[in-house]
């Protein structure tokens, strides 16, 4: 991976709400806009979203990707959001080849569109929709170590000014989002966030220990309360595998009245 590759994990919020003026997403929106100004403008973006799982790692390869409105119960305008970014078929082929060298077989999918874990944050960060973008799936088994290895295999890429964007949510308990806030929910949310921030940013940790903590993430305080299912956390594992080092910056935000975090590697 070239030194110009940037790696970023974000919490992408609740469905299309960040684009619909929801006040509880304002801190997230402000942080994404700020990050887009702080980091070098990428020439291409590879997104690993929580909202696509496949038996085999799969990449979108359409030159003109459509959008998947993979949510329900929102106002009609949520189903007419547009983000006409170009695809990146050549980049998909390069990534497929790089992962093959690491003994990871990758499928290309020219029909699948970009889900809201992709187009919602990118519409905030890069509203011009002029940067080529493609999406890499998670693996259905949701194995933490496999996702770190998937990210590590990306380090062989020789692509200038690539942004690897992990799009998930560092807290993702749907019941808790819509329950009345209690001291116990707040404590559990904040305890897991403190563990995650320390795991990703503590420079005193050896990388072998950092990796093991991420592999055994469900041993963290209140891990399964914060992530009853881990698909929104695993894009972070891919990001860590690609970076192989502690993050450079932690951005703490409140989204839907819960503490959440971003990690810039």
């Amino acid at each position: 991976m070239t030194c110009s590759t940037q790696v970023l994990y974000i919490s992408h919020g609740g469905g299309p709400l960040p684009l619909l003026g929801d006040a509880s997403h304002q801190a997230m929106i402000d942080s994404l806009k700020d990050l887009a100004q702080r980091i070098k403008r990428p020439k291409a973006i590879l997104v690993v979203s929580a909202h696509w799982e496949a038996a085999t790692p799969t990449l979108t390869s359409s030159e003109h990707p459509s959008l998947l409105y993979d949510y329900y119960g929102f106002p009609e305008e949520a189903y007419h959001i547009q983000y006409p970014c170009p695809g990146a078929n050549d980049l998909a082929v390069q990534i497929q080849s790089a992962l093959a060298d690491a003994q990871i077989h990758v499928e290309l999918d020219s029909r699948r569109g970009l889900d809201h874990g992709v187009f919602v944050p990118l519409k905030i960060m890069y509203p011009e929709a002029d940067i080529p973008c493609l999406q890499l799936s998670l693996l259905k088994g949701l194995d933490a170590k496999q996702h770190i290895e998937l990210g590590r295999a990306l380090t062989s890429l020789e692509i200038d000014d690539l942004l690897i964007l992990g799009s998930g949510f560092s807290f993702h308990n749907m019941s808790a989002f819509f329950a009345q806030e209690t001291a116990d929910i707040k404590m559990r949310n904040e305890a897991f966030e403190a563990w995650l921030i320390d795991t990703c940013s503590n420079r005193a940790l050896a990388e072998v220990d950092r990796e093991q903590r991420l592999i055994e993430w469900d041993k963290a305080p209140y891990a399964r309360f914060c992530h009853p299912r881990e698909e929104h956390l695993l894009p972070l594992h891919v990001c860590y595998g690609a970076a192989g080092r502690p993050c450079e910056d932690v951005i703490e935000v409140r989204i839907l009245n819960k503490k959440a975090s971003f990690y810039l590697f």
Side-chain angles (χ1 to χ4, degrees):
M1 189 166 64
T2 68
C3 60
S4 64
T5 297
Q6 302 173 105
V7 183
L8 171 65
Y9 171 83
I10 63 167
S11 295
H12 64 227
L17 287 173
L19 302 180
L20 300 179
D22 180 72
S24 71
H25 285 79
Q26 193 58 53
M28 171 197 146
I29 292 167
D30 293 345
S31 294
L32 288 177
K33 288 181 176 179
D34 178 64
L35 279 165
Q37 294 300 312
R38 285 172 53 197
I39 67 176
K40 186 175 182 181
R41 180 179 172 83
K43 292 180 181 175
I45 303 172
L46 170 63
V47 184
V48 183
S49 164
H51 293 281
W52 185 17
E53 298 169 30
T56 299
T58 308
L59 282 162
T60 57
S61 59
S62 170
E63 289 294 351
H64 303 284
S66 59
L67 301 186
L68 292 177
Y69 304 111
D70 55 336
Y71 39 69
Y72 60 91
F74 291 96
E76 184 64 23
E77 65 185 289
Y79 304 93
H80 299 283
I81 294 167
Q82 296 298 311
Y83 194 73
C85 66
N89 180 261
D90 290 348
L91 177 56
V93 172
Q94 288 183 62
I95 293 172
Q96 184 184 44
S97 176
L99 294 183
D101 290 343
Q103 309 303 312
I104 298 174
H105 174 69
V106 174
E107 299 283 351
L108 300 184
D109 188 335
S110 62
R111 293 179 294 178
R112 191 184 192 278
L114 306 175
D115 62 53
H116 76 270
V118 181
F119 68 78
V120 168
L122 290 188
K123 192 172 179 69
I124 296 166
M125 295 179 75
Y126 303 108
E128 302 86 358
D130 56 353
I131 301 174
C133 178
L134 73 163
Q135 183 175 352
L136 173 64
S137 74
L138 296 176
L139 289 161
K140 277 187 175 177
L142 301 182
D143 180 83
K145 185 177 181 180
Q146 276 191 310
H147 286 86
I148 292 174
E149 290 170 350
L150 184 62
R152 188 170 289 133
L154 296 173
T155 61
S156 65
L157 290 173
E158 296 293 334
I159 299 165
D160 288 332
D161 300 328
L162 174 68
L163 172 62
I164 298 175
L165 179 66
S167 180
F169 211 145
S170 64
F171 177 89
H172 197 257
N173 181 318
M174 294 300 291
S175 297
F177 279 133
F178 299 105
Q180 182 176 355
E181 179 75 334
T182 66
D184 183 60
I185 290 175
K186 183 173 185 289
M187 180 272 294
R188 295 182 188 203
N189 172 203
E190 293 183 355
F192 181 78
E193 282 290 319
W195 174 89
L196 192 63
I197 289 169
D198 181 64
T199 296
C200 292
S201 65
N202 187 342
R203 293 182 175 275
L205 278 178
E207 292 313 312
V208 65
D209 295 328
R210 193 185 323 280
E211 178 174 341
Q212 195 60 35
R213 283 174 69 160
L214 287 169
I215 290 170
E216 299 179 347
W217 71 272
D218 56 351
K219 295 181 180 178
Y222 308 106
R224 282 295 178 188
F225 173 79
C226 296
H227 291 277
R229 194 172 185 274
E230 54 264 51
E231 79 285 347
H232 276 74
L233 186 64
L234 289 178
L236 174 60
H237 289 67
V238 179
C239 287
Y240 172 70
R245 61 181 184 271
C247 67
E248 296 292 333
D249 196 9
V250 178
I251 298 93
E252 298 179 63
V253 295
R254 290 195 70 81
I255 305 173
L256 292 170
N257 200 32
K258 297 293 180 287
K259 188 172 181 181
S261 44
F262 302 177
Y263 300 91
L264 177 62
F265 289 91

